[in-house]
Amino acid sequence: AQSVTQLGSHVSVSEGALVLLRCNYSSSVPPYLFWYVQYPNQGLQLLLKYTTGATLVKGINGFEAEFKKSETSFHLTKPSAHMSDAAEYFCAVTRNTGNQFYFGTGTSLTVIP
Amino acid sequence: KAGVTQTPRYLIKTRGQQVTLSCSPISGHRSVSWYQQTPGQGLQFLFEYFSETQRNKGNFPGRFSGRQFSNSRSEMNVSTLELGDSALYLCASSLGGGNNSPLHFGNGTRLTVT
């Protein structure tokens, strides 16, 4: 069975501070992992993905995430938060067969000026 | 390349009515998935179609149905609407075919049931 847990439904950071959004997964097979961002009244936009290879994945808008198999984690980070980063962030997992994605419950990021 | 297009963007219906939502995937994408998003439940998977066949199905009642056409466009139908069906319905397309290509989402249809 697949599942994703996002710790912290709301995270607030100051502008310029480090952003850390946590995601842990459970999977009976090697997972494929994704982070998406959702701005108000819009759909989800892909930030980055991990399938195979390098465990540190760089995405758009300065975000990156590291796949840590021993910790079953895929935390999202950004060194310096911008006001435009305020949005809802979703972690997702899928298997290496089929195309069903499992999403976390989301983390709402607030950036304080 | 045009993105995923969902129509209409907003819809208001009354209880007991039925509704059809439409989704046009990115050109070349053969998989279309539907999700229901609500503040309390987050993103819940409805179903996925690939080459006109339903390949995966979530845990929703039979009032929720869908189909996919030969051009990969998809429709979702909800019959006998209930107040709890009020939500943002998101469509996502991907290459599918088991290669774990990412989902590309449309902007959604916001359904309000009164």
Side-chain angles (χ1 to χ4, degrees):
Chain A
Q2 320 283 321
S3 73
V4 174
T5 302
Q6 290 184 241
L7 292 173
S9 57
H10 294 88
V11 170
S12 294
V13 299
S14 298
E15 193 175 13
L18 171 72
V19 176
L20 171 60
L21 304 182
R22 299 178 187 274
C23 173
N24 288 88
Y25 67 91
S26 66
S27 174
S28 55
V29 297
Y32 293 87
L33 296 155
F34 304 79
W35 274 99
Y36 285 85
V37 61
Q38 185 179 32
Y39 298 101
N41 296 317
Q42 293 187 23
L44 279 69
Q45 179 184 358
L46 179 69
L47 274 177
L48 49 80
K49 63 178 180 179
Y50 169 78
T51 52
T52 58
T55 56
L56 181 63
V57 180
K58 295 187 185 298
I60 62 171
N61 301 339
F63 284 94
E64 61 183 36
E66 187 171 11
F67 170 60
K68 292 187 176 181
K69 186 177 178 181
S70 61
E71 299 176 9
T72 60
S73 69
F74 191 57
H75 301 331
L76 182 71
T77 60
K78 182 174 179 178
S80 176
H82 294 165
M83 296 299 295
S84 60
D85 295 328
E88 187 93 16
Y89 292 81
F90 293 90
C91 182
V93 64
T94 187
R95 301 172 297 174
N96 59 357
T97 57
N99 203 42
Q100 185 165 350
F101 283 65
Y102 299 85
F103 284 85
T105 51
T107 297
S108 177
L109 176 66
T110 299
V111 181
I112 303 165
Chain B
K1 215 180 225 186
V4 177
T5 304
Q6 290 188 246
T7 56
R9 280 300 308 271
Y10 301 94
L11 210 46
I12 300 175
K13 292 284 188 179
T14 56
R15 275 179 299 176
Q17 287 186 315
Q18 75 165 17
V19 67
T20 300
L21 313 182
S22 181
C23 173
S24 293
I26 291 172
S27 177
H29 285 191
R30 296 166 64 191
S31 170
V32 173
S33 301
W34 289 89
Y35 289 82
Q36 182 195 65
Q37 186 178 26
T38 58
Q41 301 293 323
L43 275 160
Q44 293 196 287
F45 173 73
L46 281 154
F47 28 66
E48 184 228 355
Y49 286 86
F50 180 79
S51 293
E52 302 180 66
T53 301
Q54 187 180 85
R55 188 163 66 170
N56 291 297
K57 188 176 189 305
N59 211 17
F60 277 79
R63 299 186 298 108
F64 292 81
S65 63
R67 59 178 175 169
Q68 186 180 33
F69 302 96
S70 58
N71 60 0
S72 292
R73 192 177 70 83
S74 177
E75 287 182 347
M76 189 191 104
N77 185 274
V78 187
S79 63
T80 318
L81 284 166
E82 301 176 359
L83 294 178
D85 297 333
S86 295
L88 180 67
Y89 289 88
L90 292 166
C91 167
S93 75
S94 72
L95 291 170
N99 60 4
N100 296 294
S101 58
L103 298 177
H104 298 262
F105 284 83
N107 284 331
T109 294
R110 170 105 26 217
L111 172 64
T112 302
V113 182
T114 61

